[in-house]
Amino acid sequence: MADLGQAATGGRDDAARRFFRSRWRGTVPLGRLIWRDMMLVASALNALASMLALWLLGLGTPPLVALPMHFALLPYNLFLALCVWRTAERTGGSTVGYMLLATAWLVLVTVI
């Protein structure tokens, strides 16, 4: 029985570990990393966090409570931007364009 419990929780942990490891090592195609992971998924999560922070401010919540909600995804955003830079360097070609895109996206989702 203990094995089933470990398998259930270990599977989730392994999937998350594989997700982050594959992006950090650059084994995920650059197009998927940029367009799906960064532009689509992370942008949607950032929009949701920002809307929640604005909603909290609208309810009269002190800014010191609402601002951490807005910036909660900053470590994940930095991770994705660094992964784009690392993967672009490994693939060669026009790395500057990908790095500028990742940097502009990072600034945009942090400020907005």
Side-chain angles (χ1 to χ4, degrees):
M1 284 294 191
D3 291 340
L4 292 176
Q6 288 176 341
T9 58
R12 247 181 288 138
D13 292 343
D14 288 344
R17 202 172 301 135
R18 279 193 312 268
F19 175 86
F20 287 104
R21 186 180 298 136
S22 65
R23 275 128 186 96
W24 186 250
R25 290 182 177 169
T27 58
V28 173
L30 190 57
R32 182 186 310 161
L33 182 61
I34 291 172
W35 296 110
R36 189 190 72 186
D37 294 348
M38 192 170 74
M39 295 295 187
L40 183 66
V41 175
S43 293
L45 290 173
N46 280 287
L48 185 64
S50 294
M51 286 188 282
L52 185 56
L54 286 172
W55 180 68
L56 288 172
L57 286 173
L59 290 176
T61 306
L64 288 177
V65 175
L67 279 177
M69 179 57 63
H70 174 72
F71 292 110
L73 293 170
L74 187 59
Y76 180 62
N77 296 338
L78 286 169
F79 170 77
L80 285 177
L82 288 172
C83 289
V84 168
W85 296 341
R86 289 170 53 95
T87 305
E89 285 178 344
R90 289 183 180 164
T91 59
S94 175
T95 60
V96 174
Y98 294 122
M99 291 178 173
L100 287 175
L101 177 67
T103 303
W105 174 85
L106 180 62
V107 168
L108 187 68
V109 296
T110 302
V111 172
I112 292 181

